[in-house]
Amino acid sequence: MAGHVSDAVIRRLPGYYRHLRELEAMGVQQISSQELGKRMNLTPSQIRQDINCFGGFGRQGYGYKVTELKGHIGEILGMDQSHRMIILGVGNIGSAVAKYPTFSREGFETVAAFDVASDKIGMLLHGVKVQPMSELDDYLKENQVDIAVLSVPAIVAQDTLKRLYDGGVRAVWNFAPTDLTHPDDMIVVNVHLSDSLKILSYHMAHQHDA
Amino acid sequence: MAGHVSDAVIRRLPGYYRHLRELEAMGVQQISSQELGKRMNLTPSQIRQDINCFGGFGRQGYGYKVTELKGHIGEILGMDQSHRMIILGVGNIGSAVAKYPTFSREGFETVAAFDVASDKIGMLLHGVKVQPMSELDDYLKENQVDIAVLSVPAIVAQDTLKRLYDGGVRAVWNFAPTDLTHPDDMIVVNVHLSDSLKILSYHMAHQHDA
């Protein structure tokens, strides 16, 4: 991808990938910016701008080759890499993520899981045995970890993040309902479920404003 | 709130609520736009603009009263209402949502859950008995439902959404990894977990670009 890509475009990338995969599964080989825009609730000109920004695929008037564009966007998203993932905190959310079949299918493999609760230690999560949180630092010394799923209580999230950083982990998928401070060379993407539910409730409260 | 509120401001609202609640719990009574901005990773002028947009709280140079502002933002978010929530599809994600303690604490109460799998029907989820999906339509005739959590497989999500709409449900929290078509008077907020994970992997692949 040439030059700066805006956050808005980055946020739309996985949607492109998803829709193109669906189209491919339906046997569609070629799609116009009009048709793709209709599916994605974007204007044809937004579609063209976005895709130009990914590196100028397709030819005006001919549409895009579905499989080729999907492959290209997949590469941009790093889907050609496999990712070793660990779960910190095996509560409701942590274990749901560990068991979610799509992630491993897409190359995000849960390789270890940690918790402090003695009744969870030793439990099998999708074939992975839950280890005591006290063993995290040693584990990180001996194993390569690409992504840590942070699903611990908010109050210990910042400390756990520091242990991850010290252990060499540079990417965190954070489910703890708090905003974390992190070094510049660490990537943190948040899933704030309570925030998302509040946005729904906002729209419900203001549905008749307009 | 006066006038049009942009999506970007709406997206930030739950974060304000969360930070102000944390500040309140810490005993902080008053906060300046500088200090709040530092916590939230926003500029003081963005903070002032946002809060003006919520209805002009605080006085220049005096900062904001934490409890008052939190209460005001909570009202804007509809947190003064209670919400009756049902779960469609009691898989990993659906059951995690049903059990998540924060939601009920914030007035989002799971009142029913439905699934097609015979081994799940009759199961207790945080005190709520899982019912057969075939009973959804009758349930909606007899009970008021504010929010439906849609955590069914992508392939049946659109059909399930239609049943919800026909049954009078007007707000859907969608976890199915697909974009749904919905009538204008229905609100759908998506949590696309796989998309979020791909954004993390995008940043990992492009970490050293800049």
Side-chain angles (χ1 to χ4, degrees):
Chain A
M1 274 204 285
H4 177 73
V5 182
S6 74
D7 274 353
V9 174
I10 296 169
R11 264 201 305 271
R12 284 197 289 273
L13 272 167
Y16 277 100
Y17 186 81
R18 191 155 34 77
H19 281 278
L20 289 164
R21 194 174 45 192
E22 282 172 17
L23 288 163
E24 191 183 41
M26 286 158 59
V28 177
Q29 295 188 338
Q30 198 121 339
I31 191 159
S32 66
S33 49
Q34 281 78 7
E35 291 165 309
L36 190 53
K38 210 175 157 193
R39 275 186 76 93
M40 294 189 61
N41 210 10
L42 296 168
T43 66
S45 110
Q46 261 180 310
I47 298 275
R48 284 191 297 266
Q49 271 178 40
D50 283 357
I51 292 179
N52 265 335
C53 171
F54 311 155
F57 265 63
R59 285 170 299 159
Q60 190 80 39
Y62 288 86
Y64 304 102
K65 288 184 180 153
V66 170
T67 300
E68 190 182 47
L69 186 58
K70 190 206 96 180
H72 184 60
I73 292 177
E75 269 176 48
I76 295 174
L77 285 169
M79 306 292 295
D80 50 343
Q81 315 276 320
S82 69
H83 295 92
R84 291 170 55 89
M85 203 157 77
I86 61 171
I87 314 273
L88 287 310
V90 183
N92 300 316
I93 297 296
S95 50
V97 168
K99 290 178 199 160
Y100 207 70
T102 322
F103 301 149
S104 62
R105 214 186 300 134
E106 295 191 328
F108 300 91
E109 198 66 59
T110 299
V111 293
F114 299 86
D115 204 292
V116 291
S118 55
D119 60 326
K120 282 179 186 154
I121 293 160
M123 211 174 85
L124 275 183
L125 258 191
H126 210 248
V128 169
K129 198 178 265 182
V130 178
Q131 302 178 56
M133 192 65 90
S134 56
E135 288 175 16
L136 172 63
D137 313 273
D138 284 342
Y139 180 87
L140 294 177
K141 274 183 204 140
E142 286 152 29
N143 297 278
Q144 192 220 321
V145 170
D146 302 309
I147 297 175
V149 178
L150 197 54
S151 43
V152 297
I155 198 151
V156 295
Q158 188 68 56
D159 287 344
T160 313
L161 181 129
K162 191 185 178 313
R163 288 171 68 185
L164 290 167
Y165 187 84
D166 292 344
V169 180
R170 290 295 177 267
V172 170
W173 200 22
N174 176 45
F175 287 80
T178 188
D179 291 327
L180 299 161
T181 310
H182 58 89
D184 283 343
D185 63 341
M186 187 178 222
I187 302 155
V188 177
V189 167
N190 294 303
V191 180
H192 284 152
L193 289 178
S194 290
D195 287 12
S196 167
L197 187 52
K198 288 192 188 79
I199 285 173
L200 184 60
S201 120
Y202 168 86
H203 286 294
M204 293 169 74
H206 298 267
Q207 203 168 2
H208 306 292
D209 282 7
Chain B
M1 279 209 282
H4 177 75
V5 182
S6 75
D7 275 352
V9 174
I10 295 170
R11 263 202 303 273
R12 283 198 289 274
L13 271 168
Y16 277 100
Y17 186 80
R18 189 156 33 79
H19 282 278
L20 289 164
R21 193 174 46 191
E22 282 173 18
L23 289 163
E24 190 183 42
M26 286 157 59
V28 178
Q29 296 189 336
Q30 199 121 341
I31 192 158
S32 66
S33 48
Q34 281 78 9
E35 291 164 309
L36 190 53
K38 211 175 154 192
R39 275 186 76 94
M40 293 189 62
N41 209 10
L42 295 169
T43 66
S45 111
Q46 261 181 309
I47 298 274
R48 284 191 297 268
Q49 271 179 38
D50 282 357
I51 293 179
N52 264 336
C53 170
F54 312 153
F57 264 62
R59 284 170 300 160
Q60 190 81 36
Y62 287 85
Y64 303 103
K65 288 182 181 156
V66 170
T67 300
E68 190 181 46
L69 186 58
K70 189 206 96 179
H72 185 57
I73 292 177
E75 268 176 49
I76 295 175
L77 285 169
M79 306 291 296
D80 51 343
Q81 315 277 320
S82 67
H83 296 92
R84 291 170 55 90
M85 203 156 77
I86 62 171
I87 313 274
L88 287 309
V90 182
N92 299 317
I93 297 295
S95 51
V97 168
K99 291 177 196 161
Y100 206 70
T102 321
F103 302 149
S104 62
R105 215 186 299 134
E106 294 191 330
F108 299 91
E109 199 66 59
T110 299
V111 294
F114 299 86
D115 205 292
V116 290
S118 56
D119 60 327
K120 282 178 186 154
I121 293 162
M123 214 174 82
L124 276 182
L125 258 192
H126 210 248
V128 169
K129 197 179 268 182
V130 179
Q131 302 178 55
M133 193 66 91
S134 56
E135 287 176 17
L136 172 63
D137 313 273
D138 284 343
Y139 180 87
L140 294 177
K141 274 182 203 142
E142 285 153 27
N143 297 278
Q144 191 220 321
V145 170
D146 302 309
I147 296 174
V149 178
L150 197 55
S151 43
V152 296
I155 198 152
V156 295
Q158 188 68 57
D159 287 343
T160 313
L161 181 129
K162 191 186 178 310
R163 288 171 70 184
L164 290 167
Y165 186 84
D166 292 344
V169 179
R170 290 295 178 267
V172 170
W173 200 22
N174 176 44
F175 287 79
T178 189
D179 291 327
L180 300 162
T181 310
H182 57 89
D184 284 343
D185 62 340
M186 186 177 223
I187 302 155
V188 176
V189 167
N190 294 303
V191 180
H192 284 153
L193 288 179
S194 289
D195 287 12
S196 166
L197 187 52
K198 287 191 187 81
I199 286 173
L200 184 59
S201 120
Y202 168 87
H203 286 294
M204 293 169 74
H206 298 266
Q207 204 166 3
H208 305 293
D209 282 6

